Amino acid sequence: MHNETGCSAGRSYRYEWALFADWCAAADMTPLPATPVTLAEFLGDNPAGDRAQIRRVSAINRAHRDAGHPEPGLVTALRLAVDSVRAQRRRDLAQVLAAAAADLPFTGSTDALFGRRDTVLLLLTAAGLSYRAIAELRSTDVTVDDEDSLWIGGRHRVRIDDVAVPGFRPAQVWRRWNEVLVFADRYPSTALILQHLRRDTFPDTTGWPGRQSPVAVSIDRWGHLPLPADAMTPAAIAGVIAAHRVGAPPRRTLIRLRGHDRGRSDDDTGHVVEPARPEWDSHALDTGYYESGVAARRSAHTALAEIPELYDEVEDRIDALLTRTLELLEQHNSTPDPRH
């Protein structure tokens, strides 16, 4: 074993190790020991032919083996790193989506309708289903078993229980949305649906015939469900999820009471409920107040909207680099013998 700079890789690998050590110094990373992610990033930043890349992996593995460290360029180590990165990514995303779902209403009026649907979309995304899979999902594919676990049938065969996606109660989330779907299938009236949402008094739909309606139902901005139910596109689902991730849910226009609905009884006591009138405040404001406020909100929204995209880009790059390195080594069946 030679010195700490990695000369232990041997004279035949002196150039490859020096290149790796220099790159680590420039990137502020540790060359010994190095992680599979560091190795993958090094190969990605220093493109070369397969033979040259394999030789670099051999040099790095040799230095680690001589120093008594785990070799970062073994197929098994890379495969575990890929799995670990993807698993951590799912956990991080699930935590963000659960926090967003906790703020969504399930009783009230139009907001509750969107809230029930969007919570299901957040849950399924957190559980690992793709936007395309969610768009293709039908209500008959989803069931709740005796243990209150959610089963996604069809071609997925996925079980979602309380511990699988922390922050969600999957069975409860599904029941709240499914009762809307089943009720709307029999009584396609927005007014009736909103009445039950306000009071949280949907009838027991157990035993009602269920049709293969989409789980991700498109709802227009006023809260109307199409008849027959129309499935959201994967792009539309992605847009909803992205908006919730940055704490800026899609804008919706609440349904206003029509003239003949004003003054009607809107609760179980018979009391008349009048539409709330806005309260005006007559503070004198600077002429540039609104412009500066709008500019600040726009700037904050833009900055927040870019955070998930940047985060995804970094994770996508790491995932791609690890996968590319793994494929390179698997094409050669195993890590090449450093003696050749």
Side-chain angles (χ1 to χ4, degrees):
M1 186 178 301
H2 295 179
N3 57 38
E4 297 177 353
T5 63
C7 289
S8 57
R11 291 184 178 181
S12 61
Y13 288 136
R14 182 174 297 171
Y15 170 77
E16 288 79 12
W17 177 258
L19 178 65
F20 178 65
D22 289 345
W23 177 87
C24 287
D28 195 24
M29 293 185 178
T30 303
L32 194 67
T35 67
V37 173
T38 300
L39 170 63
E41 290 184 337
F42 163 70
L43 298 179
D45 286 349
N46 296 273
D50 287 358
R51 290 177 61 88
Q53 297 289 48
I54 288 295
R55 184 173 177 82
R56 291 170 179 175
V57 173
S58 297
I60 296 168
N61 280 345
R62 173 66 180 274
H64 281 71
R65 184 166 60 253
D66 288 349
H69 295 299
E71 301 171 41
L74 295 178
V75 171
T76 301
L78 283 163
R79 186 176 292 114
L80 290 174
V82 171
D83 293 342
S84 177
V85 167
R86 293 176 179 174
Q88 184 60 48
R89 184 175 186 174
R90 286 194 296 270
R91 287 192 293 269
D92 292 342
L93 176 61
Q95 185 176 7
V96 172
L97 299 185
D103 294 331
L104 297 181
F106 59 89
T107 59
S109 57
T110 313
D111 280 339
L113 182 64
F114 286 107
R116 292 191 180 203
R117 184 203 65 182
D118 290 1
T119 303
V120 169
L121 300 184
L122 292 168
L123 166 66
L124 296 176
T125 302
L129 273 70
S130 68
Y131 299 138
R132 182 171 298 278
I134 297 173
E136 295 173 351
L137 205 60
R138 295 296 178 265
S139 57
T140 50
D141 294 332
V142 186
T143 56
V144 178
D145 64 17
D146 294 337
E147 299 178 2
D148 246 15
S149 294
L150 203 62
W151 281 93
I152 311 299
R155 60 185 178 86
H156 301 291
R157 304 303 301 167
V158 175
R159 178 183 178 181
I160 309 174
D161 53 31
D162 285 340
V163 298
V165 191
F168 288 97
R169 299 184 63 185
Q172 183 185 71
V173 168
W174 170 246
R175 287 191 181 105
R176 285 172 176 165
W177 177 232
N178 189 51
E179 65 183 4
V180 173
L181 294 177
V182 176
F183 185 87
D185 184 59
R186 176 174 289 193
Y187 302 105
S189 166
T190 302
L192 282 177
I193 293 173
L194 294 183
Q195 285 182 23
H196 287 294
L197 282 172
R198 278 192 288 268
R199 305 167 185 169
D200 194 19
T201 56
F202 280 97
D204 183 5
T205 59
T206 304
W208 289 23
R211 299 184 185 179
Q212 290 191 351
S213 60
V215 169
V217 175
S218 177
I219 309 173
D220 69 22
R221 61 184 302 183
W222 294 277
H224 298 293
L225 282 76
L227 185 68
D230 186 23
M232 299 173 67
T233 64
I237 296 172
V240 170
I241 299 300
H244 284 298
R245 286 182 65 182
V246 297
R251 286 190 173 187
R252 281 100 181 215
T253 302
L254 300 182
I255 296 177
R256 295 184 177 180
L257 293 177
R258 294 171 295 183
H260 63 273
D261 287 331
R262 296 178 183 271
R264 64 177 175 79
S265 174
D266 201 27
D267 61 17
D268 294 331
T269 65
H271 294 159
V272 173
V273 177
E274 293 289 347
R277 292 187 174 89
E279 296 182 0
W280 300 98
D281 199 346
S282 58
H283 286 294
L285 300 175
D286 180 79
T287 54
Y289 174 81
Y290 293 106
E291 289 78 4
S292 60
V294 170
R297 289 170 63 87
R298 184 183 295 114
S299 176
H301 177 73
T302 301
L304 287 173
E306 290 176 350
I307 291 175
E309 294 180 5
L310 293 174
Y311 185 69
D312 288 343
E313 287 177 5
V314 172
E315 290 195 327
D316 286 343
R317 180 176 182 275
I318 293 175
D319 195 328
L321 289 174
L322 282 168
T323 302
R324 190 181 310 143
T325 306
L326 179 60
E327 290 173 351
L328 173 67
L329 296 183
E330 287 181 334
Q331 286 175 1
H332 291 74
N333 297 323
S334 63
T335 304
D337 188 342
R339 294 171 298 181
H340 292 85

